[in-house]
């Protein structure tokens, strides 16, 4: 049995029998058979179904949000926002997919030449627990609208979320086999990727998981998209709007208890305002309220599992051993980790060098633009960066100097269905969302027609 445990009270939320090899094969066969039908369904009909999925999400938003909160500890207000974001995603692709995949006419010597965008078949998704609905939907929605079918291997601690997402597509009227949830552990993933009916793989997760999946898929010559870790810098220049910057930095770091690939994880502050900024930042972090994640008053929940909180504790201790100073927080109680701010952070410390997946952030100071850019780029990851400045000429000038998949100015890095999302370096490759995302898993077919 696979069990999901409520990290707030350690009670069992859901348990499901793990599929055996035969059940997995049967599910993939059923999905493959459905693909042959689904790929012929016109965009107009797919759009109606996807709109219905969005309506289902909004109609039963509380039901789905409570599943998220109970399984991984996200405050209910943030879980409701996640559900609404998924509904907006459904609307966006229902309204735009046909235009995004329309034939692209290219003028050549031919009578007619163009590129068509055709589905490829079953896409396997291996998804994480931190945004258990959004991560899945941002893959599944464009994949289905493109004419593919989706098979999901979700994280083992959010199996009720996985089941709920399957229920959403079922309630919306999608034919059986369009979206299939496989309740399995990680040990079966390699065999599934090797199944010839699986045509591509997308993974959101750790760097180690990404390397393992890419190695198997590469050997099978199958397309992959990897959205891996991040260690985003929040670069605070002296000419920023201090009050608004502080609030944005707190949200960027502590939303979802800091358990996000695109969270701000390294706080880089210009020396001349470091003291003033740090005081205001600590004061704002202190306003976060812990408690029952199902309460509307709670603004920071537990971490998703006890072992994750323990790992964060180790990173903190390593940092303290090397000279870091606790300015706020620093204590753990089971899966709950206090919002924590560390001063005197240098580049040799764990919380600077590694991805920090929890409610902890270190402050490092810089003297000038050159040092700020060097510190930000001093990371194996390249998912995103935020710079805070009121000098927009400077902002435009600095954007190309950051080795990231995204640069945000005076705003936390976030995913938006209208914009491509993905990273560089060890943060992975490929893009999700927007037109770029829906075109990742299609056959871009060149058509050249001559007239004798």
């Amino acid at each position: 049995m696979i069990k999901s445990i409520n990290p707030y009270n350690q009670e069992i939320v859901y348990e499901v029998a793990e599929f055996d090899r035969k059940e997995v094969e049967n599910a993939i066969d059923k999905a493959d058979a459905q693909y042959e039908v689904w790929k012929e369904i016109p965009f107009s009909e797919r759009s109606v179904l996807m709109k219905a999925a969005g309506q289902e999400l909004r109609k039963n938003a509380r039901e789905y949000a409570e599943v998220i909160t109970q399984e991984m500890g996200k405050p209910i207000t943030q879980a409701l926002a996640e559900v609404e974001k998924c509904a907006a995603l459904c609307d966006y692709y229902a309204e735009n997919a046909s235009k995004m995949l329309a034939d692209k006419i290219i003028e050549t010597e031919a009578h007619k030449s163009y590129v068509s965008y055709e589905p490829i078949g079953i896409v396997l998704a291996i998804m994480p627990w931190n945004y258990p609905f959004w991560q899945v939907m941002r893959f599944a929605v464009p994949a289905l609208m493109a004419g593919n079918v989706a098979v999901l291997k979700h994280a083992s601690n959010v199996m009720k979320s996985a089941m709920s997402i399957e229920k959403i597509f079922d309630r919306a009227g999608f034919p059986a086999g369009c979206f299939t949830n496989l309740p399995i552990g990680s040990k079966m993933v390699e065999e599934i990727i090797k199944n010839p009916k699986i045509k591509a793989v997308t993974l959101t997760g750790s760097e180690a998981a990404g390397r393992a999946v890419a190695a198997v898929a590469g050997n099978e010559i199958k397309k992959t998209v990897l959205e891996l870790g991040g260690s985003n810098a929040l670069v605070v220049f002296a000419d920023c709007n201090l009050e608004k910057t502080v609030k944005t930095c707190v949200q960027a770091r502590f939303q979802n208890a800091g358990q996000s690939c695109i969270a701000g994880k390294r706080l880089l502050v210009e020396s001349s305002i470091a003291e003033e900024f740090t005081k205001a930042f600590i004061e704002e972090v202190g306003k976060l309220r812990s408690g029952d994640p199902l309460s509307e008053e709670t603004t920071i929940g537990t971490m998703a599992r006890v072992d994750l909180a323990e790992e964060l504790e180790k990173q903190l201790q390593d940092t303290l051993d090397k000279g870091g100073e606790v300015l706020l927080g620093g204590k753990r109680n089971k899966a709950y980790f206090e919002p924590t701010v560390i001063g005197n952070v240098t580049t040799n410390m764990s919380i600077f060098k590694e991805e920090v997946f929890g409610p902890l952030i270190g402050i490092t100071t810089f003297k000038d633009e050159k040092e700020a850019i060097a510190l930000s780029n001093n990371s194996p990851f390249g998912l995103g960066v935020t710079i805070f400045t009121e000098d927009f000429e400077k902002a435009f000038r600095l954007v190309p100097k950051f080795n990231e998949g995204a640069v945000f100015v005076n705003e936390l890095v976030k995913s938006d269905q209208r914009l491509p999302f993905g990273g560089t370096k060890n943060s992975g490759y490929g893009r999700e969302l927007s037109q770029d995302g829906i075109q990742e898993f299609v056959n871009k077919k060149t058509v050249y027609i001559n007239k004798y």
Side-chain angles (χ1 to χ4, degrees):
M1 299 291 287
I2 302 177
K3 298 179 180 180
S4 57
I5 307 295
N6 186 323
Y8 177 69
N9 56 27
Q10 302 302 307
E11 294 178 357
I12 296 175
V13 176
Y14 183 72
E15 50 188 339
V16 60
E18 185 172 354
F19 273 15
D20 59 26
R21 180 175 285 102
K22 187 63 177 175
E23 288 173 305
V24 169
E25 289 177 356
N26 287 341
I28 292 174
D29 288 346
K30 185 176 181 180
D32 189 56
Q34 180 55 54
Y35 166 67
E36 295 301 324
V37 179
W38 180 248
K39 68 180 182 180
E40 302 297 337
I41 300 296
F43 279 110
S44 58
E45 293 183 31
R46 293 180 208 162
S47 178
V48 170
L49 292 171
M50 196 58 73
K51 280 280 191 179
Q55 292 167 359
E56 167 59 26
L57 281 157
R58 292 190 174 99
K59 177 183 176 182
N60 293 299
R62 186 78 190 190
E63 171 192 338
Y64 297 129
E66 287 184 357
V67 171
I68 294 170
T69 294
Q70 290 167 353
E71 284 200 305
M72 56 75 60
K74 188 193 305 282
I76 189 65
T77 53
Q78 294 178 26
L80 285 164
E82 181 174 341
V83 173
E84 171 55 36
K85 190 170 185 177
C86 292
L89 179 77
C90 292
D91 293 345
Y92 175 75
Y93 277 107
E95 295 164 4
N96 293 288
S98 62
K99 291 178 287 187
M100 292 173 170
L101 298 177
D103 292 349
K104 181 180 180 181
I105 304 298
I106 299 175
E107 295 296 331
T108 67
E109 294 79 12
H111 171 68
K112 186 175 184 180
S113 51
Y114 62 95
V115 177
S116 64
Y117 302 91
E118 301 177 1
I120 58 174
I122 304 176
V123 183
L124 169 66
I126 303 164
M127 291 291 130
W129 46 262
N130 58 333
Y131 286 88
F133 272 53
W134 172 247
Q135 305 278 22
V136 175
M137 295 296 283
R138 77 181 188 191
F139 138 75
V141 171
L144 288 168
M145 286 303 299
N148 298 308
V149 296
V151 170
L152 170 67
K153 187 278 176 217
H154 216 330
S156 295
N157 60 324
V158 290
M159 281 295 163
K160 190 172 184 180
S161 292
M163 177 273 291
S164 298
I165 295 168
E166 191 172 50
K167 183 193 297 185
I168 289 165
F169 287 113
D170 179 59
R171 287 176 171 177
F174 280 81
C178 280
F179 181 92
T180 304
N181 170 46
L182 299 178
I184 57 170
S186 298
K187 292 181 180 179
M188 296 188 71
V189 169
E190 181 174 347
E191 185 176 337
I192 293 172
I193 295 173
K194 290 180 177 179
N195 187 312
K197 293 179 180 177
I198 299 293
K199 303 303 181 184
V201 187
T202 181
L203 176 139
T204 298
S206 69
E207 182 183 342
R211 290 181 185 278
V213 166
V216 177
N219 193 58
E220 299 296 313
I221 316 180
K222 294 183 180 181
K223 174 73 178 289
T224 55
V225 168
L226 302 181
E227 198 278 279
L228 308 178
S231 189
N232 293 9
L234 300 165
V235 185
V236 181
F237 288 102
D239 57 4
C240 71
N241 180 312
L242 189 68
E243 182 180 356
K244 292 181 179 179
T245 296
V246 165
K247 291 181 181 297
T248 302
C249 286
V250 171
Q251 184 184 6
R253 170 67 283 195
F254 295 101
Q255 183 175 262
N256 204 37
Q259 300 168 118
S260 171
C261 56
I262 54 173
K265 300 189 173 90
R266 296 176 296 145
L267 191 46
L268 312 180
V269 184
E270 192 162 354
S271 302
S272 62
I273 63 163
E275 184 176 347
E276 181 184 9
F277 177 89
T278 300
K279 181 181 178 181
F281 183 74
I282 290 172
E283 183 179 337
E284 190 69 21
V285 175
K287 296 177 183 178
L288 296 171
R289 291 291 172 260
S290 63
D292 186 346
L294 286 172
S295 169
E296 302 280 345
E297 303 301 315
T298 298
T299 55
I300 188 162
T302 65
M303 293 183 67
R305 300 195 311 263
V306 173
D307 64 300
L308 298 170
E310 291 173 340
E311 181 61 32
L312 187 64
E313 196 171 38
K314 292 177 183 177
Q315 290 178 301
L316 171 59
Q317 189 58 54
D318 175 81
T319 297
L320 298 181
D321 290 344
K322 292 177 179 175
E325 176 189 1
V326 175
L327 303 178
L328 182 73
K331 296 179 181 179
R332 178 184 69 84
N333 180 17
K334 297 179 181 176
Y336 176 70
F337 203 103
E338 290 180 330
T340 300
V341 182
I342 307 298
N344 299 329
V345 173
T346 56
T347 58
N348 67 326
M349 296 177 180
S350 290
I351 65 171
F352 190 98
K353 295 189 299 181
E354 303 169 1
E355 180 174 28
V356 179
F357 220 69
L360 182 157
I361 193 165
I363 298 177
T364 304
T365 61
F366 63 86
K367 294 179 181 178
D368 53 30
E369 292 177 12
K370 184 178 179 181
E371 186 178 12
I373 293 162
L375 285 168
S376 179
N377 288 338
N378 185 8
S379 172
F381 301 104
L383 193 53
V385 61
T386 295
I387 59 177
F388 296 93
T389 177
E390 294 286 89
D391 183 344
F392 294 108
E393 287 187 8
K394 177 168 74 176
F396 285 119
R397 176 168 48 80
L398 294 183
V399 164
K401 299 182 183 296
F402 292 98
N403 304 327
E404 308 286 343
V407 178
F408 280 58
V409 180
N410 299 327
E411 180 60 278
L412 69 160
V413 176
K414 55 188 176 181
S415 55
D416 183 314
Q417 63 264 23
R418 297 163 295 185
L419 298 169
F421 180 84
T424 63
K425 300 190 283 188
N426 290 2
S427 290
Y429 52 74
R431 292 295 181 265
E432 298 178 296
L433 303 175
S434 75
Q435 181 167 327
D436 298 74
I438 199 171
Q439 289 187 359
E440 285 284 3
F441 296 118
V442 294
N443 173 24
K444 298 178 182 179
K445 181 180 288 184
T446 296
V447 180
Y448 189 100
I449 303 172
N450 225 344
K451 191 174 183 180
Y452 290 118

